[in-house]
């Protein structure tokens, strides 16, 4: 079938029935065979209680007991369903998966409520959307069966292959294969697939990139539909070409996304900051084939030295700002107090002219320049006339950053390591982070850090504006972390004798922990612990607080449409408001309201847009679209993590057999993880390799303690380790700690127990699944 269960359900109105013929048309089904498959699928969904059918057609079943979630599985066979509504994760036993795989979107029914230290349990009722259509695997002969064993051991299955694929039976260290899934498991029938091609394992950077692209299904990218781009209307545009304007250059990779420009005016009341976004939405029609294609893509993808761009080349070229040339833009004027408080704002369609571009070399030269120097460094000569503006922007960005941090936003010194080949991956995107925290960047040293602070108030402004005017924007929410999760981190820090000042209620805030950790000699590992409770940013249809952006009302991203489709969506909405919005109840009224700014809030009691203008936006902003965009955001995070892990593993390969000093970055019952500089690659020292004693796990103290010699391995300790094995494909590094000379191997007796540990297992992928008794 050419659709998923999720897309099928999304075509059904919330409280109405739809005829089969209309459903077929909505799904684009015309072939007889596809219609028969649709009937089979509908019948199964009716039996599962997801849909209902009568003579009038198909309708949804409103069942509050069915919860939408995404599966996160472990190599040990247990899974958690991560709820889309932000509720508590649901534990799924392997016999309740019903053939669902890691990453699948599913409907789950809770079968047992959770307790204080126990997650609720449930079972998969329906698979909404498969996450895996192809995978990397090794081909093995298992008795009479030829199977593909996935490299990702969170896929708790093997794939049956045709006998002709026996030609791919090769040693695992030489090659892997790409397997396409032809049939998912059904009833007692195992999944089936076929080998699409063989890939080399150790053939250089190009081969590693091919492995990365294949693993994430990016090797064959769909082509954007042909489209005739529209020319932004010159009428009713604000001419801002006389305003001194700077562009900030972050990336060097080919096809890197285009970014906004900024201007600044001083006033007696503070600052007048202008943010100018490329006018992408004005060049393509909302709901056009190109717009629908971009919705499917969702994000620009960084591969290191190159990008998989969101926008097609012609659109990028048309919308990009060029120094010395006039360009169409969507701009916002932000009035900011001396303390960094956003006071007023107004949006407009504009024409701007970028005077110069600022890159990392320019900022570094400015930072190193002596205050009374008479000469201008070469890196600053092109910026000579704009240096006062640049210095003012840096000062404003630092003020905005301090205000953001004081309001609860979190910066962590966890930047990617300096590894050749990471390229643009090492430079964070300049808008809200996906992870609920921001990489610590100095606006005076980093163009990304400078642009980030200037964009956040622009996104806060549109969020507030759309929320006040009740417009169908896509909002970015970031709820505050739960106090219980933060307290667990605080307890771990207190066990390490980190001084903490707790609030009167005994709880610690994330900001207090971040401040205390920054001053500790175990700063990095403690900040890594703090990452876990910080909730990621999610795209929603409703306004809500965004702790990361220090915004209590709403955030609506819009200034980076070449990076994220959500920004392009909100640009479509902004253009519609500015060009078609009604600024008075009727033509008989002479007084107009400035609907482009915050002065309009609370004074509009008439429809700003007609129903025909709003309906496409309201219908398009479906749960399916939001799921897709949030899923693509998670996909980007996984892609970047894999790219970093592969680069780190390659850095570690030449070090096999060497002894290095690392830092313990995590402790579990089955061993401890060690970060080894300079690439910060992380490896596992399994507890079974500690042969000098029997080690007990003390979770509250984040340490392993020897029963006989009382030697301990604690979070943040420096240890000498030997790199024993590097598995680049699985990103696994096996380490052995350097034991003292002349140690005697400890022989356990029958009284020894290692509660919760598996002496022969390797739970390195289960570090986040330590909830209660199941995890």
């Amino acid at each position: 079938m050419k659709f998923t269960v999720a897309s099928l359900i999304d075509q059904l109105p919330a409280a109405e029935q739809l005829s089969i013929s209309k459903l077929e048309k909505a799904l684009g089904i015309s072939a007889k065979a596809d219609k028969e498959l649709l009937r089979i699928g509908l019948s199964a969904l009716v039996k599962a209680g997801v849909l209902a059918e009568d003579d009038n057609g198909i309708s949804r079943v409103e069942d509050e007991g069915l919860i939408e979630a995404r599966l996160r599985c472990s190599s040990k066979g247990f899974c958690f369903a991560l709820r889309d509504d932000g509720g508590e994760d649901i534990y799924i036993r392997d016999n309740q998966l019903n053939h669902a795989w890691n990453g699948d979107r599913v409907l789950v029914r809770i079968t047992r409520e959770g307790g204080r230290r126990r997650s609720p349990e449930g079972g998969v009722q329906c698979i909404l959307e498969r996450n895996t259509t192809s995978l990397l695997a090794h081909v093995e002969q298992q008795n009479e069966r030829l199977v593909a064993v996935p490299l990702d051991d969170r896929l708790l299955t093997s794939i049956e292959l045709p006998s002709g694929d026996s030609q791919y039976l090769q040693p695992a260290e030489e090659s892997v294969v790409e397997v396409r899934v032809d049939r998912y498991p059904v009833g007692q029938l195992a999944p089936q697939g076929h080998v699409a091609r063989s890939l080399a394992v150790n053939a250089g950077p190009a081969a590693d990139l091919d492995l990365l692209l294949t693993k994430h299904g990016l090797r064959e990218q769909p082509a954007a539909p042909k489209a005739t781009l529209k020319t932004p209307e010159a009428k009713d545009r604000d001419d801002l070409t006389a305003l001194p304007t700077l562009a900030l250059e972050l990336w060097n990779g080919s096809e890197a996304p285009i970014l906004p420009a900024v201007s600044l005016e001083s006033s007696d009341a503070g600052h007048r900051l202008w943010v100018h976004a490329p006018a992408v939405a004005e060049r393509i029609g909302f709901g056009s084939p190109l717009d629908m294609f971009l919705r499917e893509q969702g994000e620009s993808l960084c591969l290191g030295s190159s990008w998989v761009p969101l926008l097609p080349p012609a659109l990028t070229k048309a919308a990009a700002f060029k120094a010395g040339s006039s360009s169409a833009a969507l701009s916002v004027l932000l009035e900011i107090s001396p303390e960094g408080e956003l006071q007023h704002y107004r949006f407009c369609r504009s024409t701007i002219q970028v005077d110069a571009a600022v890159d990392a070399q320019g900022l570094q030269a400015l930072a190193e320049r002596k205050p009374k120097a008479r000469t201008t460094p070469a890196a600053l000569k092109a910026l000579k006339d704009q240096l006062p503006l640049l210095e003012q922007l840096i000062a404003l960005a630092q003020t905005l950053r301090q205000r953001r941090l004081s309001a609860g936003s979190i910066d962590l010194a966890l930047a990617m390591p300096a590894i050749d080949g990471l390229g643009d991956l090492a430079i964070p995107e300049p808008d809200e982070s996906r992870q609920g925290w921001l990489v610590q960047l100095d606006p005076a040293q980093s163009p990304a850090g400078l642009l980030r602070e200037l964009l956040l108030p622009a996104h806060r402004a549109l969020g507030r504006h759309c929320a006040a005017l009740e417009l169908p924007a896509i909002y970015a929410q970031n709820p505050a972390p739960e106090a219980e999760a933060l307290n667990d981190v605080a307890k771990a820090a207190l066990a390490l004798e980190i001084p903490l000042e707790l609030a009167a209620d005994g709880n610690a805030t994330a900001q207090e922990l971040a401040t205390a950790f920054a001053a500790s000699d175990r700063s990095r590992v403690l900040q890594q612990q703090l990452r876990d409770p910080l909730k990621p940013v999610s795209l929603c249809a409703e306004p809500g607080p965004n702790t990361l952006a220090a915004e209590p009302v709403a955030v609506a991203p819009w200034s980076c449409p070449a990076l994220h489709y959500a920004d392009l969506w909100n640009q479509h909405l902004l253009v519609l408001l500015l060009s078609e919005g009604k600024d008075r109840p009727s033509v008989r009224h002479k007084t107009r309201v400035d609907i482009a700014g915050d002065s309009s809030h609370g004074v509009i009691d008439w429809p700003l847009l007609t129903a025909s203008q709003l309906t496409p936006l309201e219908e398009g902003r479906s749960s399916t679209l939001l799921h897709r965009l949030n899923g693509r955001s998670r996909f980007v995070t996984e892609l970047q993590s894999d790219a970093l892990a592969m680069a780190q593993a390659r850095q570690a390969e030449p070090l096999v057999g060497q002894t290095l000093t690392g830092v313990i970055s995590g402790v579990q019952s089955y061993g401890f993880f060690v970060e080894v500089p300079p690439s910060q690659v992380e490896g596992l020292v399994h507890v079974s390799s500690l042969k000098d004693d029997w080690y007990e796990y003390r979770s509250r103290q984040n340490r392993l303690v020897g029963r006989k010699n009382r030697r301990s391995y604690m979070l943040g300790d420096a240890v000498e380790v030997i790199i024993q094995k590097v598995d680049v494909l699985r990103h696994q590094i096996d380490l052995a700690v350097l034991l003292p000379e002349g140690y005697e191997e400890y022989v356990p007796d029958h009284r020894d127990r290692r509660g919760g540990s598996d002496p022969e297992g390797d739970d390195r992928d289960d570090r986040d699944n330590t909830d209660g008794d199941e995890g």
Side-chain angles (χ1 to χ4, degrees):
M1 289 188 290
K2 300 177 181 179
F3 55 87
T4 65
V5 174
S7 62
L8 186 157
I9 294 175
D10 195 53
Q11 298 299 329
L12 300 175
E16 301 177 18
Q17 292 172 315
L18 193 68
S19 67
I20 300 295
S21 60
K22 289 183 178 179
L23 180 58
E24 290 171 347
K25 183 178 180 180
L27 293 171
I29 291 176
S30 57
K32 182 179 179 180
D34 288 340
K35 290 181 179 181
E36 291 176 354
L37 289 174
L38 174 61
R39 289 297 312 175
I40 294 172
L42 291 174
S43 177
L45 292 172
V46 169
K47 290 181 179 179
V50 177
L51 301 180
E53 182 179 11
D54 58 23
D55 294 340
N56 296 319
I58 296 289
S59 60
R60 302 184 193 183
V61 172
E62 298 299 329
D63 187 345
E64 295 182 357
L66 288 177
I67 299 167
E68 289 195 27
R70 177 175 53 87
L71 283 184
R72 184 184 66 190
C73 295
S74 155
S75 61
K76 298 304 174 186
F78 58 81
C79 294
F80 284 89
L82 280 59
R83 298 173 58 156
D84 290 337
D85 60 8
E88 188 175 4
D89 296 347
I90 304 167
Y91 177 67
I92 311 290
R93 297 185 184 274
D94 56 354
N95 62 350
Q96 294 293 322
L97 285 172
N98 292 327
H99 296 314
W101 291 354
N102 179 63
D104 289 349
R105 273 187 63 205
V106 295
L107 289 177
V108 173
R109 190 180 297 279
I110 293 179
T111 57
R112 191 186 74 175
E113 297 296 331
R116 182 174 176 272
R117 296 293 296 174
R118 180 189 292 272
S119 297
E121 286 191 27
V124 174
Q125 297 295 109
C126 176
I127 300 172
L128 294 174
E129 191 170 20
R130 288 287 189 178
N131 180 66
T132 303
T133 57
S134 66
L135 50 92
L136 294 177
H138 292 301
V139 178
E140 295 182 5
Q141 187 74 49
Q142 297 180 354
N143 298 323
E144 300 300 321
R145 300 168 65 235
L146 185 70
V147 298
V149 179
L151 289 185
D152 187 349
D153 51 14
R154 296 172 301 174
L155 295 175
L156 310 173
T157 186
S158 58
I159 316 293
E160 288 189 350
L161 299 175
S163 58
D165 284 345
S166 59
Q167 62 178 307
Y168 297 104
L169 282 167
Q170 297 180 19
E173 63 272 11
E174 293 182 7
S175 69
V176 295
V177 296
E178 177 188 2
V179 174
R180 303 280 176 85
V181 179
D182 298 323
R183 185 190 72 192
Y184 294 99
V186 178
Q188 301 301 316
L189 301 177
Q192 291 181 345
H194 68 277
V195 175
R197 64 192 183 110
S198 179
L199 294 87
V201 174
N202 299 302
D208 283 352
L209 179 59
D210 191 20
L211 285 167
L212 185 69
L213 294 175
T214 304
K215 177 179 180 181
H216 293 278
L218 296 173
R219 194 172 64 88
E220 298 175 356
Q221 285 294 298
K226 294 182 179 180
T228 301
L229 302 180
K230 298 189 293 185
T231 301
E233 292 186 11
K235 183 182 177 182
D236 297 329
R237 301 196 85 87
D238 291 5
D239 186 354
L240 305 178
T241 54
L243 197 64
T245 301
L246 291 176
L248 291 154
E249 295 182 345
L250 276 59
W251 299 304
N252 300 308
S254 61
E255 299 188 273
I258 54 177
L259 291 169
V262 291
S263 309
L264 186 65
E265 300 175 293
S266 296
S267 70
D268 296 336
H271 305 277
R272 289 165 56 88
L273 171 65
W274 289 89
V275 172
H276 314 288
V280 175
E282 291 190 82
R283 291 178 161 85
I284 62 175
F286 179 80
S288 66
L290 177 56
D291 186 50
M292 300 302 289
F293 171 81
L294 297 178
R295 290 186 200 183
E296 289 289 334
Q297 303 310 303
E299 302 272 345
S300 282
L301 308 175
C302 181
L303 303 176
S305 59
S306 63
W307 289 72
V308 178
L310 172 63
L311 305 183
L315 182 54
T316 297
K317 183 178 180 181
F321 297 145
K322 306 172 187 66
S325 300
S326 297
S327 304
L330 293 173
S331 300
V332 63
L333 170 61
L334 306 164
E335 296 185 16
I336 299 173
S337 72
E339 296 75 30
E341 181 71 31
L342 176 60
Q343 296 179 316
H344 301 289
Y345 50 84
R346 184 182 186 279
F347 295 90
C348 67
R349 293 182 299 146
S350 65
T351 303
I352 69 165
Q353 179 172 304
V354 171
D355 297 293
V358 182
D359 58 14
Q361 289 74 26
L363 280 183
Q364 183 177 359
L366 180 62
E368 296 173 351
R369 185 190 186 196
K370 295 181 180 179
K372 297 183 180 180
R374 296 183 179 181
T375 59
T376 303
L380 293 176
K381 286 186 177 179
L383 295 168
K384 185 176 181 180
D385 296 336
Q386 284 76 37
L387 287 181
L389 170 61
L390 179 56
E391 290 172 337
Q392 293 169 14
L393 285 169
I394 292 172
L396 173 59
Q398 290 171 331
T399 300
L400 291 170
R401 179 173 181 266
Q402 289 303 316
R403 185 202 168 280
R404 173 174 61 79
L405 293 175
S406 65
S409 183
I410 300 294
D411 282 7
L412 299 177
L414 297 177
M416 284 195 179
I419 298 177
D420 292 341
L422 284 183
D424 289 347
L425 275 173
I427 303 172
E429 296 174 358
D431 51 0
E432 296 94 291
S433 168
R434 310 171 199 272
Q435 300 300 313
W437 56 275
L438 294 168
V439 176
Q440 182 176 303
L441 296 173
D442 182 357
Q445 301 279 349
S446 164
L450 175 56
L451 187 57
R452 169 205 291 168
E453 305 302 338
L454 303 178
L455 293 188
L456 284 174
H459 293 181
R460 294 167 57 206
L462 186 62
R464 292 183 187 181
H465 200 50
C466 291
L469 301 182
E470 299 182 350
L471 296 174
I474 292 180
Y475 298 96
Q477 290 191 21
N478 175 232
E482 296 175 359
E484 183 178 356
L486 289 176
N487 284 342
D488 288 341
V489 177
K491 291 174 184 177
L494 290 172
L496 297 174
E497 300 182 351
I498 305 298
L500 293 176
E501 293 184 9
L502 302 182
D505 59 2
N507 294 324
T509 67
Q511 185 61 47
E512 290 168 342
L513 292 176
T515 302
F517 293 170
S520 167
D521 59 353
R522 301 172 189 257
S523 173
R524 180 174 173 83
V525 295
L526 288 170
Q527 291 188 35
Q528 289 172 330
Q529 302 297 310
L530 182 58
R531 288 183 308 190
D532 295 336
L534 301 178
K535 297 185 177 181
V537 175
S538 60
L539 299 175
C540 309
E542 301 297 329
N546 188 312
T547 304
L548 189 71
E551 171 54 44
V553 179
V555 167
W558 62 278
S559 64
C560 298
L563 266 174
H564 317 292
Y565 181 79
D567 293 53
L568 179 53
W569 174 281
N570 287 331
Q571 275 204 7
H572 279 304
L573 180 61
L574 180 57
V575 169
L576 184 63
L577 175 67
L578 296 176
S579 59
E580 303 292 339
K582 294 177 62 177
D583 57 5
R584 49 183 172 167
S586 69
V587 294
R588 294 190 300 273
H589 289 74
K590 297 186 179 294
T591 304
R592 300 173 183 266
V593 173
D594 184 9
I595 60 175
D598 62 315
S599 62
S600 63
H601 298 179
V603 300
I604 296 175
D605 56 3
W606 62 89
L608 283 171
L609 298 166
T610 66
S612 62
Q613 292 168 336
L614 279 175
T615 298
L617 284 157
E618 291 172 339
E619 292 181 350
R621 192 186 54 167
S622 63
S623 59
T624 297
L625 173 64
L626 295 172
H627 283 312
R628 182 184 302 122
L629 296 181
N630 283 321
R632 290 300 283 180
S633 180
R634 291 190 296 268
F635 174 83
V636 171
T637 300
E638 293 170 2
L639 175 68
Q640 293 175 346
S641 297
D642 271 359
L644 172 61
M646 180 171 283
Q648 289 176 313
R650 288 299 187 198
Q651 291 274 311
E653 275 186 312
L655 304 178
V656 171
Q658 295 187 26
T659 300
L660 301 167
T661 301
V663 175
I664 296 178
S665 56
V667 182
Q668 296 292 338
S669 59
Y670 50 82
F672 55 87
F673 294 84
V674 179
E675 266 195 354
V676 181
S679 67
Q680 303 300 345
V681 64
E682 189 177 61
L684 174 67
V685 175
H686 201 276
V687 69
S688 61
S689 70
L690 303 176
K691 300 184 182 299
D692 62 324
D693 204 345
W694 192 270
Y695 284 85
E696 298 175 341
Y697 175 49
R698 299 184 180 177
S699 60
R700 293 180 181 274
Q701 301 173 357
N702 270 287
R703 70 173 73 190
L704 291 171
V705 179
R707 173 177 294 184
K708 177 182 177 182
N709 59 29
R710 312 309 297 171
R711 184 178 292 111
S712 69
Y713 295 99
M714 184 169 61
L715 188 70
D717 282 352
V719 292
E720 288 190 305
V721 293
I722 302 170
I723 297 182
Q724 292 187 317
K725 181 182 178 183
V726 176
D727 188 334
V728 173
L729 294 176
R730 291 185 173 86
H731 311 152
Q732 293 180 357
I733 317 296
D734 292 335
L735 305 175
V737 73
L738 194 65
L739 296 173
E741 292 185 9
Y743 77 92
E744 295 183 4
E745 184 168 341
Y746 183 77
V747 180
D749 59 29
H750 68 279
R751 295 171 298 174
D752 286 324
R753 295 289 186 272
R754 295 195 186 198
S757 70
D758 176 6
E760 301 303 326
D762 183 348
D763 305 73
R764 71 185 74 213
D765 64 330
D766 304 339
R767 293 181 63 184
D768 298 329
N769 295 338
T770 54
D771 178 70
D773 37 331
E774 285 88 14

